[in-house]
Amino acid sequence: MRQGSTQHEIFLNSLEHEGKKFIRLWYKPNPFISKRLKEAGWIKYSKTYKCFVMHNSPHSIEMTYTHFQGLAQVNTRYLYRPKRLKPNKLVPVLAGEQRGEPLEKMPDLPVVKLQPMLVGDDKTLISVTFRYSQQVYETLKCSNLATWQAEQKCFAIPEGGQHIQQLAEELDGKGWLWLSQQLVVRDVVLLRRLWEQTYLKSTGYITCPIDYLEKLYLLNYSMNTIRTYHSLLLRFLNSYSEKGMAAMNAFSEEDINQYHRQMVQAGSYSCSFVNQSINAVKFYYQRVLGRHEVQLRDVERPEKPDRLPTVLSKQEVKKILEATDNLKHRCMLQLLYAGGLRIGEVISLSLSDVQSDRNLLLIRGGKGKKDRTTVLSQRLLDNLRVYYKEYKPKTWLFEGQFGGQYTSDSLRNVFQACRKKAGVKTNATPHTLRHSFATHLLEQGTDLRYIQTLLGHRSSKTTEIYTHVTSYALDKIVSPLDNL
């Protein structure tokens, strides 16, 4: 009812049902309006929505205006109000100046793959292959470095970091270089170029200081850690590129803390990402610039949530292992589960690491550069003997189609293909087999200390997470709901 008026109102609201548009009528309870609504032939009472409804058309609205003239005013205020959709994600309300992503990506370019290739008896070249691109082909054809190999039907360059650097310069802006894992690069200048080749080098772009990468390399950090630290420091430096390197090198501890506080407040980054960024930036100021007073104590490190690992049942594991007829693929998947190996540890196994006389597998240079031994299943050993006779690997236990070490991406693809073929709906990865190995051992009654040794965990707290996902003894617990 409007202020200063005694006339009643009928509000028209939009209503969608099974893809069709209707109008829902709402009014304060009034017997005269209810009686008049029942007299209108184009208006019906809906038992579903428990209100009067009519078709959403100009003709129906016009008849409603006329029908209630003198009794009530028809109000269309809510009929034409636009929809206000809510986002599916939470929207953080942030304080202060917020910075967007500082690194822009270049438009996609053709990927040029570099892999070692034997030519003749003992000569090694680096093959250059790519999906056909006229620009890349013309560049290689006119190159002073790359030569066409008629027998192998591909371009090739001499081995050596300086030659890859020269090729990268020739293909700058025309293609991205991708190196196979058989090419172990120890030239940090080349690594920096490869890691930054996809970024847009706009005015003010700051590259990662080479002495930062050299320090990480000399301190024997793993290549994965070096690459992660490189990307995180690069992000930090380019967030303040307008200030210049001299000003950034003189940043106070509070300036650096403010950068990480904004990351935490944004809520768009994982706890691991923020913590790694703190470590990467701290390493730069302390170990490269020698500013040991920069401790970054005032920034609150986000606590990592305790998420339980995904574990497959024994039936699901069996289905996945039986989903392939390829003996090599089955042996690799069995190794992941039978010994609790990581994917990198499987492809890094050499022939001498299978110690069949002791029923042990020797894992060299696992995570954290630690060596360890794990159990060797008798069934797996029988399959490996058959596999060796059929495939005759030379150096690595598992080699690629054209020789060399098997790649981790290929093993991931094999696992996912087997999982889908087996009809396993669980969103699993090859690492899930390692989690399943530990959980199933625990359910069999194996002591947690032995499982810690087999997995290569430095702390028993890491292994204890499997006690939260095991079903051991849970089948003996009866829910109180079942006793009602």
Side-chain angles (χ1 to χ4, degrees):
M1 187 180 292
R2 292 186 177 180
Q3 187 175 3
S5 172
T6 57
Q7 192 175 26
H8 299 285
E9 282 188 296
I10 299 176
F11 293 93
L12 306 186
N13 299 272
S14 60
L15 173 67
E16 285 191 16
H17 179 73
E18 296 182 352
K20 296 180 180 180
K21 294 184 178 181
F22 297 90
I23 293 176
R24 177 175 53 191
L25 293 89
W26 181 88
Y27 60 96
K28 287 185 177 180
N30 184 293
F32 299 105
I33 294 178
S34 299
K35 183 175 180 295
R36 187 71 64 90
L37 283 168
K38 294 175 182 177
E39 294 171 353
W42 65 94
I43 299 175
K44 304 293 183 184
Y45 184 80
S46 169
K47 293 182 180 179
T48 303
Y49 296 100
K50 294 182 174 55
C51 64
F52 286 95
V53 298
M54 66 181 184
H55 286 285
N56 190 341
S57 68
H59 182 61
S60 298
I61 296 172
E62 186 62 36
M63 287 195 299
T64 305
Y65 270 113
T66 305
H67 190 65
F68 285 94
Q69 199 167 13
L71 176 63
Q73 182 178 354
V74 177
N75 193 318
T76 59
R77 183 194 314 171
Y78 303 108
L79 182 60
Y80 303 112
R81 187 165 63 177
K83 284 185 177 180
R84 297 176 183 175
L85 299 178
K86 294 182 180 179
N88 293 327
K89 297 189 296 183
L90 298 176
V91 179
V93 180
L94 309 178
E97 178 189 359
Q98 299 300 323
R99 297 176 177 270
E101 286 299 321
L103 298 170
E104 293 184 52
K105 293 279 189 174
M106 293 176 60
D108 288 344
L109 296 175
V111 176
V112 180
K113 296 183 178 181
L114 304 185
Q115 301 180 77
M117 175 182 67
L118 282 175
V119 179
D121 294 332
D122 55 355
K123 187 178 181 181
T124 303
L125 297 177
I126 298 176
S127 66
V128 183
T129 58
F130 54 95
R131 287 188 177 180
Y132 184 74
S133 164
Q134 183 68 27
Q135 195 174 23
V136 173
Y137 174 76
E138 293 296 336
T139 302
L140 293 174
K141 189 177 178 182
C142 302
S143 171
N144 296 323
L145 177 69
T147 56
W148 177 255
Q149 304 296 312
E151 185 177 348
Q152 288 79 15
K153 295 183 180 180
C154 67
F155 286 98
I157 62 172
E159 57 180 334
Q162 73 277 18
H163 298 125
I164 299 177
Q165 278 272 31
Q166 184 179 338
L167 180 66
E169 292 172 4
E170 292 180 355
L171 292 174
D172 187 31
K174 302 167 187 172
W176 291 336
L177 294 186
W178 176 89
L179 274 62
S180 74
Q181 64 187 33
Q182 283 84 20
L183 290 171
V184 181
V185 180
R186 295 187 172 90
D187 181 354
V188 291
V189 177
L190 175 58
L191 286 173
R192 181 178 67 174
R193 181 178 192 120
L194 294 174
W195 291 341
E196 298 182 19
Q197 64 180 331
T198 60
Y199 296 126
L200 189 64
K201 312 297 192 302
S202 55
T203 306
Y205 174 84
I206 297 178
T207 188
C208 182
I210 201 67
D211 49 351
Y212 179 77
L213 298 177
E214 286 177 341
K215 178 71 75 171
L216 288 166
Y217 189 80
L218 290 174
L219 291 175
N220 204 25
Y221 278 64
S222 72
M223 195 55 66
N224 286 336
T225 302
I226 296 175
R227 182 163 192 173
T228 300
Y229 275 31
H230 162 269
S231 65
L232 293 169
L233 182 68
L234 195 69
R235 186 186 187 280
F236 171 78
L237 295 177
N238 283 277
S239 294
Y240 300 97
S241 57
E242 72 280 358
K243 295 182 180 292
M245 282 297 294
M248 282 188 282
N249 289 344
F251 268 3
S252 67
E253 187 172 359
E254 176 56 31
D255 293 329
I256 305 169
N257 283 340
Q258 183 60 32
Y259 168 79
H260 289 109
R261 284 196 199 100
Q262 290 178 356
M263 290 177 66
V264 174
Q265 291 172 6
S268 304
Y269 309 100
S270 68
C271 298
S272 297
F273 187 91
V274 178
N275 281 319
Q276 284 179 323
S277 178
I278 294 171
N279 294 337
V281 175
K282 185 177 179 179
F283 185 94
Y284 175 66
Y285 280 90
Q286 288 189 346
R287 307 299 293 273
V288 179
L289 298 182
R291 294 185 55 192
H292 295 282
E293 77 277 7
V294 177
Q295 297 295 326
L296 304 185
R297 293 193 185 109
D298 294 338
V299 67
E300 292 289 341
R301 284 180 179 261
E303 189 174 345
K304 190 175 180 180
D306 290 331
R307 291 195 174 94
L308 296 178
T310 302
V311 174
L312 298 168
S313 68
K314 291 183 178 180
Q315 292 75 20
E316 288 176 320
V317 172
K318 184 178 180 180
K319 287 180 182 177
I320 292 174
L321 297 181
E322 293 177 348
T324 177
D325 296 326
N326 186 297
L327 183 57
K328 182 198 289 187
H329 294 168
R330 188 184 302 116
C331 286
M332 287 191 291
L333 296 181
Q334 285 179 337
L335 266 168
L336 289 168
Y337 177 68
L341 273 63
R342 300 178 179 92
I343 190 170
E345 294 168 348
V346 170
I347 62 176
S348 298
L349 285 172
S350 62
L351 296 175
S352 59
D353 293 335
V354 182
Q355 301 184 358
S356 55
D357 53 336
R358 300 173 60 203
N359 282 336
L360 291 176
L361 272 174
L362 179 59
I363 312 301
R364 301 179 186 273
K367 189 174 181 180
K369 302 183 184 297
K370 298 193 295 283
D371 291 351
R372 73 177 193 278
T373 56
T374 188
V375 292
L376 177 61
S377 159
Q378 187 59 48
R379 180 186 296 182
L380 172 61
L381 180 59
D382 294 339
N383 288 338
L384 286 175
R385 284 169 173 160
V386 177
Y387 157 77
Y388 180 79
K389 291 178 182 177
E390 183 175 337
Y391 285 84
K392 295 181 174 57
K394 297 177 182 177
T395 305
W396 307 103
L397 182 59
F398 299 106
E399 297 178 343
Q401 186 177 359
F402 303 105
Q405 190 178 13
Y406 205 85
T407 64
S408 55
D409 285 342
S410 297
L411 182 49
R412 288 189 185 94
N413 293 335
V414 167
F415 175 83
Q416 293 301 338
C418 291
R419 182 183 67 83
K420 292 174 183 176
K421 184 178 178 182
V424 175
K425 303 299 182 183
T426 306
N427 188 19
T429 65
H431 203 73
T432 307
L433 292 177
R434 174 176 161 89
H435 293 319
S436 304
F437 161 81
T439 306
H440 296 165
L441 278 183
L442 195 60
E443 291 175 349
Q444 291 171 195
T446 308
D447 191 287
L448 200 65
R449 289 172 297 177
Y450 295 131
I451 298 175
Q452 176 189 344
T453 303
L454 294 175
L455 293 175
H457 289 162
R458 180 176 281 116
S459 170
S460 61
K461 291 183 178 179
T462 309
T463 317
E464 285 170 5
I465 192 172
Y466 297 109
T467 62
H468 298 287
V469 290
T470 178
S471 61
Y472 179 66
L474 285 180
D475 55 342
K476 299 182 179 67
I477 301 174
V478 180
S479 169
L481 177 64
D482 296 334
N483 291 328
L484 292 180

